[in-house]
Amino acid sequence: MHTVIPRTPNSRREFDSYAVTAEFYDILQADEDEARVRRLYGREVAKARSGVLDIGAGTGRVTMLALADSRADVHAVEPARAMRTSLLTRLASLPAEQRDRVTVHPHPLDEAALHAVADVAVCHNMVGCLPPALRERLWSAIGGALTPDGSLFLQLPPARLPVRTVVRVLADKRVGEHIYGGRMTMSAAGYRIRTRVDYWVRNAKDVLREHSETFWMWPATRARLVDELAQHGFVPLPGHNDSELLAVTLRSGR
Ligand SMILES: C[S@@+](CC[C@H](N)C(=O)[O-])C[C@H]1O[C@@H](n2cnc3c(N)ncnc32)[C@H](O)[C@@H]1O
């Protein structure tokens, strides 16, 4: 079986995206990504006072970290139904004390009507999913959702288009008698990056199933994002030097 779900630049509101990927997302990527999430945001999330805003929460990696390591409320914003299903399943297994602190918003952030709910916002592996015009809406919505002293921590998207096709094989994972595998193929397509992800499940003898999903990404340099965010009242936050991370805070007295 072969499923291809194309995303066009104007299809942000096709909330069926990740319908194929959600099944494979955690089994193929969670281990590596969990360590990255803790390294990039652990310290800031633990210090959150009023709330943590997890924008593009996916299956809930940042949300779970925030619930475990802070006492603050958590707002998990996730428009894609398939990803949200994994997120809610994960939240269902939490003790009531943690589940009572997390609210799941099933919309893009700019449609979630959140005002001053958090002092820490995180965009992990999501800014590259948005074209420049939608990034502007995202920055504006984050400015509104943060308290006046709030800060935003975002994982930088690719800075530029790939010069040649890049193939990244995801490490195989065994689940009982089956091996799950995947491969990401990224190539330049005009001013965008076409990312096709192929997944397969096999047993000792055969490939049992194969699926694909295609995403579009928009590269942006750190300098460009800093400029865009400055238009929305954000300034760089000193003391954050990780090359994968951009940390900004709202300029006081906006
Ligand atoms: C590549 S996934 C990353 C998920 C999660 N942050 C992680 O790293 O595991 C990007 C997520 O951003 C979500 N997303 C896209 N546009 C969004 C928006 N405007 N507001 C909130 N979430 C959005 C998608 O539905 C998707 O689940």
Side-chain angles (χ1 to χ4, degrees), residues 176-206:
E177 296 174 0
H178 297 158
I179 305 290
Y180 286 65
R183 178 179 58 235
M184 259 181 219
T185 307
M186 299 170 81
S187 51
Y191 54 91
R192 295 179 286 157
I193 303 171
R194 182 178 188 273
T195 303
R196 178 185 159 119
V197 198
D198 297 301
Y199 304 103
W200 54 84
V201 182
R202 58 183 169 80
N203 63 13
K205 287 192 191 146
D206 298 309

PDB file of all heavy atoms in Angstrom, residues 176-206:
ATOM      1  N   GLY A 176       7.891  -6.122  18.781  1.00  0.00           N
ATOM      2  CA  GLY A 176       7.531  -7.541  18.690  1.00  0.00           C
ATOM      3  C   GLY A 176       8.204  -8.187  17.493  1.00  0.00           C
ATOM      4  O   GLY A 176       9.427  -8.102  17.328  1.00  0.00           O
ATOM      5  N   GLU A 177       7.387  -8.775  16.607  1.00  0.00           N
ATOM      6  CA  GLU A 177       7.949  -9.483  15.446  1.00  0.00           C
ATOM      7  C   GLU A 177       8.247  -8.556  14.276  1.00  0.00           C
ATOM      8  O   GLU A 177       8.715  -8.989  13.228  1.00  0.00           O
ATOM      9  CB  GLU A 177       6.954 -10.557  14.988  1.00  0.00           C
ATOM     10  CG  GLU A 177       6.739 -11.638  16.029  1.00  0.00           C
ATOM     11  CD  GLU A 177       5.633 -12.604  15.620  1.00  0.00           C
ATOM     12  OE1 GLU A 177       5.043 -12.432  14.530  1.00  0.00           O
ATOM     13  OE2 GLU A 177       5.369 -13.515  16.405  1.00  0.00           O
ATOM     14  N   HIS A 178       7.921  -7.256  14.452  1.00  0.00           N
ATOM     15  CA  HIS A 178       8.028  -6.335  13.318  1.00  0.00           C
ATOM     16  C   HIS A 178       9.120  -5.292  13.528  1.00  0.00           C
ATOM     17  O   HIS A 178       9.387  -4.870  14.653  1.00  0.00           O
ATOM     18  CB  HIS A 178       6.685  -5.615  13.097  1.00  0.00           C
ATOM     19  CG  HIS A 178       5.586  -6.557  12.741  1.00  0.00           C
ATOM     20  ND1 HIS A 178       4.258  -6.257  12.921  1.00  0.00           N
ATOM     21  CD2 HIS A 178       5.624  -7.820  12.221  1.00  0.00           C
ATOM     22  CE1 HIS A 178       3.514  -7.273  12.522  1.00  0.00           C
ATOM     23  NE2 HIS A 178       4.323  -8.240  12.102  1.00  0.00           N
ATOM     24  N   ILE A 179       9.691  -4.874  12.405  1.00  0.00           N
ATOM     25  CA  ILE A 179      10.682  -3.798  12.425  1.00  0.00           C
ATOM     26  C   ILE A 179      10.073  -2.599  11.711  1.00  0.00           C
ATOM     27  O   ILE A 179       9.593  -2.712  10.569  1.00  0.00           O
ATOM     28  CB  ILE A 179      11.975  -4.195  11.672  1.00  0.00           C
ATOM     29  CG1 ILE A 179      12.563  -5.489  12.225  1.00  0.00           C
ATOM     30  CG2 ILE A 179      12.990  -3.058  11.718  1.00  0.00           C
ATOM     31  CD1 ILE A 179      13.147  -5.387  13.597  1.00  0.00           C
ATOM     32  N   TYR A 180      10.083  -1.451  12.383  1.00  0.00           N
ATOM     33  CA  TYR A 180       9.597  -0.203  11.795  1.00  0.00           C
ATOM     34  C   TYR A 180      10.799   0.591  11.298  1.00  0.00           C
ATOM     35  O   TYR A 180      11.809   0.704  12.004  1.00  0.00           O
ATOM     36  CB  TYR A 180       8.833   0.626  12.847  1.00  0.00           C
ATOM     37  CG  TYR A 180       7.465   0.079  13.170  1.00  0.00           C
ATOM     38  CD1 TYR A 180       7.320  -1.166  13.786  1.00  0.00           C
ATOM     39  CD2 TYR A 180       6.324   0.792  12.853  1.00  0.00           C
ATOM     40  CE1 TYR A 180       6.070  -1.690  14.069  1.00  0.00           C
ATOM     41  CE2 TYR A 180       5.056   0.289  13.137  1.00  0.00           C
ATOM     42  CZ  TYR A 180       4.937  -0.953  13.740  1.00  0.00           C
ATOM     43  OH  TYR A 180       3.699  -1.463  14.009  1.00  0.00           O
ATOM     44  N   GLY A 181      10.658   1.158  10.095  1.00  0.00           N
ATOM     45  CA  GLY A 181      11.762   1.955   9.544  1.00  0.00           C
ATOM     46  C   GLY A 181      11.239   3.146   8.772  1.00  0.00           C
ATOM     47  O   GLY A 181      10.045   3.231   8.450  1.00  0.00           O
ATOM     48  N   GLY A 182      12.149   4.062   8.472  1.00  0.00           N
ATOM     49  CA  GLY A 182      11.732   5.248   7.717  1.00  0.00           C
ATOM     50  C   GLY A 182      12.912   5.972   7.108  1.00  0.00           C
ATOM     51  O   GLY A 182      14.073   5.735   7.463  1.00  0.00           O
ATOM     52  N   ARG A 183      12.583   6.872   6.180  1.00  0.00           N
ATOM     53  CA  ARG A 183      13.623   7.621   5.463  1.00  0.00           C
ATOM     54  C   ARG A 183      13.037   8.973   5.068  1.00  0.00           C
ATOM     55  O   ARG A 183      11.901   9.049   4.587  1.00  0.00           O
ATOM     56  CB  ARG A 183      13.997   6.846   4.200  1.00  0.00           C
ATOM     57  CG  ARG A 183      15.025   7.516   3.320  1.00  0.00           C
ATOM     58  CD  ARG A 183      15.348   6.652   2.107  1.00  0.00           C
ATOM     59  NE  ARG A 183      14.140   6.386   1.339  1.00  0.00           N
ATOM     60  CZ  ARG A 183      13.686   5.168   1.015  1.00  0.00           C
ATOM     61  NH1 ARG A 183      14.354   4.101   1.346  1.00  0.00           N
ATOM     62  NH2 ARG A 183      12.571   5.024   0.343  1.00  0.00           N
ATOM     63  N   MET A 184      13.819  10.042   5.295  1.00  0.00           N
ATOM     64  CA  MET A 184      13.393  11.388   4.911  1.00  0.00           C
ATOM     65  C   MET A 184      14.214  11.830   3.715  1.00  0.00           C
ATOM     66  O   MET A 184      15.442  11.709   3.739  1.00  0.00           O
ATOM     67  CB  MET A 184      13.733  12.360   6.035  1.00  0.00           C
ATOM     68  CG  MET A 184      12.576  12.722   6.897  1.00  0.00           C
ATOM     69  SD  MET A 184      13.170  13.873   8.130  1.00  0.00           S
ATOM     70  CE  MET A 184      12.241  13.272   9.488  1.00  0.00           C
ATOM     71  N   THR A 185      13.552  12.355   2.709  1.00  0.00           N
ATOM     72  CA  THR A 185      14.274  12.846   1.529  1.00  0.00           C
ATOM     73  C   THR A 185      13.923  14.317   1.331  1.00  0.00           C
ATOM     74  O   THR A 185      12.753  14.652   1.131  1.00  0.00           O
ATOM     75  CB  THR A 185      13.873  12.038   0.276  1.00  0.00           C
ATOM     76  OG1 THR A 185      14.058  10.647   0.567  1.00  0.00           O
ATOM     77  CG2 THR A 185      14.715  12.427  -0.928  1.00  0.00           C
ATOM     78  N   MET A 186      14.928  15.166   1.451  1.00  0.00           N
ATOM     79  CA  MET A 186      14.694  16.608   1.367  1.00  0.00           C
ATOM     80  C   MET A 186      15.356  17.168   0.117  1.00  0.00           C
ATOM     81  O   MET A 186      16.542  16.927  -0.125  1.00  0.00           O
ATOM     82  CB  MET A 186      15.270  17.314   2.603  1.00  0.00           C
ATOM     83  CG  MET A 186      14.608  16.839   3.893  1.00  0.00           C
ATOM     84  SD  MET A 186      15.461  17.448   5.343  1.00  0.00           S
ATOM     85  CE  MET A 186      14.782  19.094   5.451  1.00  0.00           C
ATOM     86  N   SER A 187      14.565  17.913  -0.667  1.00  0.00           N
ATOM     87  CA  SER A 187      15.135  18.502  -1.884  1.00  0.00           C
ATOM     88  C   SER A 187      14.558  19.899  -2.084  1.00  0.00           C
ATOM     89  O   SER A 187      13.448  20.197  -1.619  1.00  0.00           O
ATOM     90  CB  SER A 187      14.830  17.616  -3.091  1.00  0.00           C
ATOM     91  OG  SER A 187      13.460  17.329  -3.132  1.00  0.00           O
ATOM     92  N   ALA A 188      15.324  20.741  -2.767  1.00  0.00           N
ATOM     93  CA  ALA A 188      14.863  22.108  -3.040  1.00  0.00           C
ATOM     94  C   ALA A 188      13.792  22.057  -4.117  1.00  0.00           C
ATOM     95  O   ALA A 188      13.918  21.322  -5.094  1.00  0.00           O
ATOM     96  CB  ALA A 188      16.029  22.970  -3.493  1.00  0.00           C
ATOM     97  N   ALA A 189      12.736  22.850  -3.929  1.00  0.00           N
ATOM     98  CA  ALA A 189      11.681  22.975  -4.940  1.00  0.00           C
ATOM     99  C   ALA A 189      11.311  24.453  -4.975  1.00  0.00           C
ATOM    100  O   ALA A 189      10.503  24.901  -4.162  1.00  0.00           O
ATOM    101  CB  ALA A 189      10.480  22.108  -4.572  1.00  0.00           C
ATOM    102  N   GLY A 190      11.955  25.197  -5.869  1.00  0.00           N
ATOM    103  CA  GLY A 190      11.760  26.649  -5.883  1.00  0.00           C
ATOM    104  C   GLY A 190      12.324  27.227  -4.606  1.00  0.00           C
ATOM    105  O   GLY A 190      13.473  26.971  -4.241  1.00  0.00           O
ATOM    106  N   TYR A 191      11.515  27.958  -3.870  1.00  0.00           N
ATOM    107  CA  TYR A 191      11.965  28.590  -2.620  1.00  0.00           C
ATOM    108  C   TYR A 191      11.590  27.748  -1.396  1.00  0.00           C
ATOM    109  O   TYR A 191      11.740  28.183  -0.261  1.00  0.00           O
ATOM    110  CB  TYR A 191      11.343  29.999  -2.491  1.00  0.00           C
ATOM    111  CG  TYR A 191       9.834  29.982  -2.629  1.00  0.00           C
ATOM    112  CD1 TYR A 191       9.012  29.838  -1.504  1.00  0.00           C
ATOM    113  CD2 TYR A 191       9.229  30.054  -3.883  1.00  0.00           C
ATOM    114  CE1 TYR A 191       7.642  29.769  -1.622  1.00  0.00           C
ATOM    115  CE2 TYR A 191       7.843  29.997  -4.009  1.00  0.00           C
ATOM    116  CZ  TYR A 191       7.060  29.853  -2.885  1.00  0.00           C
ATOM    117  OH  TYR A 191       5.708  29.775  -3.007  1.00  0.00           O
ATOM    118  N   ARG A 192      11.101  26.525  -1.650  1.00  0.00           N
ATOM    119  CA  ARG A 192      10.672  25.655  -0.547  1.00  0.00           C
ATOM    120  C   ARG A 192      11.515  24.394  -0.499  1.00  0.00           C
ATOM    121  O   ARG A 192      12.239  24.076  -1.437  1.00  0.00           O
ATOM    122  CB  ARG A 192       9.205  25.239  -0.743  1.00  0.00           C
ATOM    123  CG  ARG A 192       8.232  26.359  -0.680  1.00  0.00           C
ATOM    124  CD  ARG A 192       6.839  25.844  -0.915  1.00  0.00           C
ATOM    125  NE  ARG A 192       6.590  25.511  -2.301  1.00  0.00           N
ATOM    126  CZ  ARG A 192       5.659  24.672  -2.720  1.00  0.00           C
ATOM    127  NH1 ARG A 192       4.875  24.068  -1.857  1.00  0.00           N
ATOM    128  NH2 ARG A 192       5.501  24.436  -4.001  1.00  0.00           N
ATOM    129  N   ILE A 193      11.373  23.661   0.602  1.00  0.00           N
ATOM    130  CA  ILE A 193      12.015  22.350   0.716  1.00  0.00           C
ATOM    131  C   ILE A 193      10.908  21.295   0.685  1.00  0.00           C
ATOM    132  O   ILE A 193       9.963  21.358   1.486  1.00  0.00           O
ATOM    133  CB  ILE A 193      12.813  22.223   2.032  1.00  0.00           C
ATOM    134  CG1 ILE A 193      13.865  23.333   2.129  1.00  0.00           C
ATOM    135  CG2 ILE A 193      13.456  20.840   2.132  1.00  0.00           C
ATOM    136  CD1 ILE A 193      14.544  23.420   3.489  1.00  0.00           C
ATOM    137  N   ARG A 194      11.038  20.396  -0.272  1.00  0.00           N
ATOM    138  CA  ARG A 194      10.076  19.289  -0.322  1.00  0.00           C
ATOM    139  C   ARG A 194      10.643  18.169   0.540  1.00  0.00           C
ATOM    140  O   ARG A 194      11.767  17.715   0.319  1.00  0.00           O
ATOM    141  CB  ARG A 194       9.930  18.812  -1.775  1.00  0.00           C
ATOM    142  CG  ARG A 194       8.931  17.717  -1.981  1.00  0.00           C
ATOM    143  CD  ARG A 194       8.880  17.406  -3.479  1.00  0.00           C
ATOM    144  NE  ARG A 194       7.801  16.490  -3.775  1.00  0.00           N
ATOM    145  CZ  ARG A 194       7.907  15.173  -3.720  1.00  0.00           C
ATOM    146  NH1 ARG A 194       9.049  14.618  -3.364  1.00  0.00           N
ATOM    147  NH2 ARG A 194       6.867  14.416  -4.012  1.00  0.00           N
ATOM    148  N   THR A 195       9.876  17.765   1.540  1.00  0.00           N
ATOM    149  CA  THR A 195      10.338  16.691   2.429  1.00  0.00           C
ATOM    150  C   THR A 195       9.382  15.507   2.290  1.00  0.00           C
ATOM    151  O   THR A 195       8.223  15.591   2.691  1.00  0.00           O
ATOM    152  CB  THR A 195      10.366  17.165   3.898  1.00  0.00           C
ATOM    153  OG1 THR A 195      11.198  18.311   3.990  1.00  0.00           O
ATOM    154  CG2 THR A 195      10.903  16.084   4.821  1.00  0.00           C
ATOM    155  N   ARG A 196       9.899  14.468   1.686  1.00  0.00           N
ATOM    156  CA  ARG A 196       9.086  13.263   1.560  1.00  0.00           C
ATOM    157  C   ARG A 196       9.574  12.276   2.615  1.00  0.00           C
ATOM    158  O   ARG A 196      10.779  12.051   2.765  1.00  0.00           O
ATOM    159  CB  ARG A 196       9.264  12.676   0.157  1.00  0.00           C
ATOM    160  CG  ARG A 196       8.493  11.391  -0.036  1.00  0.00           C
ATOM    161  CD  ARG A 196       8.797  10.794  -1.390  1.00  0.00           C
ATOM    162  NE  ARG A 196       8.478   9.388  -1.360  1.00  0.00           N
ATOM    163  CZ  ARG A 196       7.570   8.795  -2.132  1.00  0.00           C
ATOM    164  NH1 ARG A 196       6.922   9.496  -3.025  1.00  0.00           N
ATOM    165  NH2 ARG A 196       7.335   7.502  -2.020  1.00  0.00           N
ATOM    166  N   VAL A 197       8.610  11.720   3.359  1.00  0.00           N
ATOM    167  CA  VAL A 197       8.991  10.733   4.365  1.00  0.00           C
ATOM    168  C   VAL A 197       8.374   9.394   3.968  1.00  0.00           C
ATOM    169  O   VAL A 197       7.169   9.306   3.730  1.00  0.00           O
ATOM    170  CB  VAL A 197       8.523  11.140   5.785  1.00  0.00           C
ATOM    171  CG1 VAL A 197       9.301  10.345   6.834  1.00  0.00           C
ATOM    172  CG2 VAL A 197       8.690  12.626   6.018  1.00  0.00           C
ATOM    173  N   ASP A 198       9.222   8.386   3.852  1.00  0.00           N
ATOM    174  CA  ASP A 198       8.772   7.025   3.529  1.00  0.00           C
ATOM    175  C   ASP A 198       8.866   6.177   4.789  1.00  0.00           C
ATOM    176  O   ASP A 198       9.858   6.265   5.525  1.00  0.00           O
ATOM    177  CB  ASP A 198       9.668   6.413   2.444  1.00  0.00           C
ATOM    178  CG  ASP A 198       9.589   7.199   1.144  1.00  0.00           C
ATOM    179  OD1 ASP A 198       8.480   7.319   0.605  1.00  0.00           O
ATOM    180  OD2 ASP A 198      10.635   7.717   0.696  1.00  0.00           O
ATOM    181  N   TYR A 199       7.846   5.410   5.010  1.00  0.00           N
ATOM    182  CA  TYR A 199       7.813   4.525   6.186  1.00  0.00           C
ATOM    183  C   TYR A 199       7.561   3.100   5.718  1.00  0.00           C
ATOM    184  O   TYR A 199       6.893   2.880   4.704  1.00  0.00           O
ATOM    185  CB  TYR A 199       6.664   4.920   7.126  1.00  0.00           C
ATOM    186  CG  TYR A 199       6.696   6.349   7.591  1.00  0.00           C
ATOM    187  CD1 TYR A 199       5.838   7.292   7.029  1.00  0.00           C
ATOM    188  CD2 TYR A 199       7.550   6.740   8.614  1.00  0.00           C
ATOM    189  CE1 TYR A 199       5.847   8.606   7.464  1.00  0.00           C
ATOM    190  CE2 TYR A 199       7.560   8.057   9.057  1.00  0.00           C
ATOM    191  CZ  TYR A 199       6.706   8.989   8.472  1.00  0.00           C
ATOM    192  OH  TYR A 199       6.717  10.281   8.902  1.00  0.00           O
ATOM    193  N   TRP A 200       8.054   2.130   6.480  1.00  0.00           N
ATOM    194  CA  TRP A 200       7.769   0.732   6.178  1.00  0.00           C
ATOM    195  C   TRP A 200       7.759  -0.086   7.468  1.00  0.00           C
ATOM    196  O   TRP A 200       8.324   0.314   8.493  1.00  0.00           O
ATOM    197  CB  TRP A 200       8.790   0.158   5.198  1.00  0.00           C
ATOM    198  CG  TRP A 200      10.210   0.330   5.643  1.00  0.00           C
ATOM    199  CD1 TRP A 200      10.921  -0.456   6.490  1.00  0.00           C
ATOM    200  CD2 TRP A 200      11.086   1.406   5.279  1.00  0.00           C
ATOM    201  NE1 TRP A 200      12.182   0.042   6.674  1.00  0.00           N
ATOM    202  CE2 TRP A 200      12.308   1.186   5.939  1.00  0.00           C
ATOM    203  CE3 TRP A 200      10.945   2.531   4.453  1.00  0.00           C
ATOM    204  CZ2 TRP A 200      13.395   2.059   5.810  1.00  0.00           C
ATOM    205  CZ3 TRP A 200      12.023   3.391   4.319  1.00  0.00           C
ATOM    206  CH2 TRP A 200      13.237   3.147   4.993  1.00  0.00           C
ATOM    207  N   VAL A 201       7.043  -1.208   7.369  1.00  0.00           N
ATOM    208  CA  VAL A 201       7.018  -2.191   8.462  1.00  0.00           C
ATOM    209  C   VAL A 201       7.359  -3.525   7.831  1.00  0.00           C
ATOM    210  O   VAL A 201       6.775  -3.896   6.807  1.00  0.00           O
ATOM    211  CB  VAL A 201       5.614  -2.271   9.119  1.00  0.00           C
ATOM    212  CG1 VAL A 201       5.625  -3.268  10.278  1.00  0.00           C
ATOM    213  CG2 VAL A 201       5.143  -0.899   9.589  1.00  0.00           C
ATOM    214  N   ARG A 202       8.320  -4.248   8.407  1.00  0.00           N
ATOM    215  CA  ARG A 202       8.689  -5.532   7.826  1.00  0.00           C
ATOM    216  C   ARG A 202       8.832  -6.597   8.923  1.00  0.00           C
ATOM    217  O   ARG A 202       9.003  -6.248  10.104  1.00  0.00           O
ATOM    218  CB  ARG A 202       9.965  -5.403   6.993  1.00  0.00           C
ATOM    219  CG  ARG A 202      11.160  -4.877   7.736  1.00  0.00           C
ATOM    220  CD  ARG A 202      12.355  -4.723   6.791  1.00  0.00           C
ATOM    221  NE  ARG A 202      13.430  -3.979   7.422  1.00  0.00           N
ATOM    222  CZ  ARG A 202      14.297  -4.478   8.280  1.00  0.00           C
ATOM    223  NH1 ARG A 202      14.210  -5.747   8.643  1.00  0.00           N
ATOM    224  NH2 ARG A 202      15.230  -3.726   8.813  1.00  0.00           N
ATOM    225  N   ASN A 203       8.761  -7.829   8.518  1.00  0.00           N
ATOM    226  CA  ASN A 203       9.085  -8.925   9.425  1.00  0.00           C
ATOM    227  C   ASN A 203      10.381  -9.566   8.925  1.00  0.00           C
ATOM    228  O   ASN A 203      11.074  -8.982   8.082  1.00  0.00           O
ATOM    229  CB  ASN A 203       7.918  -9.928   9.538  1.00  0.00           C
ATOM    230  CG  ASN A 203       7.611 -10.588   8.216  1.00  0.00           C
ATOM    231  OD1 ASN A 203       8.396 -10.489   7.270  1.00  0.00           O
ATOM    232  ND2 ASN A 203       6.467 -11.257   8.130  1.00  0.00           N
ATOM    233  N   ALA A 204      10.694 -10.736   9.394  1.00  0.00           N
ATOM    234  CA  ALA A 204      11.982 -11.338   9.038  1.00  0.00           C
ATOM    235  C   ALA A 204      12.096 -11.581   7.528  1.00  0.00           C
ATOM    236  O   ALA A 204      13.190 -11.579   6.971  1.00  0.00           O
ATOM    237  CB  ALA A 204      12.153 -12.647   9.805  1.00  0.00           C
ATOM    238  N   LYS A 205      10.944 -11.765   6.861  1.00  0.00           N
ATOM    239  CA  LYS A 205      10.996 -12.149   5.440  1.00  0.00           C
ATOM    240  C   LYS A 205      10.628 -11.032   4.483  1.00  0.00           C
ATOM    241  O   LYS A 205      11.252 -10.881   3.434  1.00  0.00           O
ATOM    242  CB  LYS A 205      10.000 -13.306   5.207  1.00  0.00           C
ATOM    243  CG  LYS A 205      10.416 -14.626   5.747  1.00  0.00           C
ATOM    244  CD  LYS A 205       9.466 -15.665   5.164  1.00  0.00           C
ATOM    245  CE  LYS A 205       9.626 -16.993   5.855  1.00  0.00           C
ATOM    246  NZ  LYS A 205       8.357 -17.683   5.934  1.00  0.00           N
ATOM    247  N   ASP A 206       9.567 -10.281   4.833  1.00  0.00           N
ATOM    248  CA  ASP A 206       8.956  -9.399   3.834  1.00  0.00           C
ATOM    249  C   ASP A 206       8.734  -7.988   4.366  1.00  0.00           C
ATOM    250  O   ASP A 206       8.635  -7.776   5.575  1.00  0.00           O
ATOM    251  CB  ASP A 206       7.542  -9.921   3.472  1.00  0.00           C
ATOM    252  CG  ASP A 206       7.615 -11.287   2.859  1.00  0.00           C
ATOM    253  OD1 ASP A 206       8.395 -11.455   1.916  1.00  0.00           O
ATOM    254  OD2 ASP A 206       6.900 -12.176   3.361  1.00  0.00           O
TER     255      ASP A 206
END
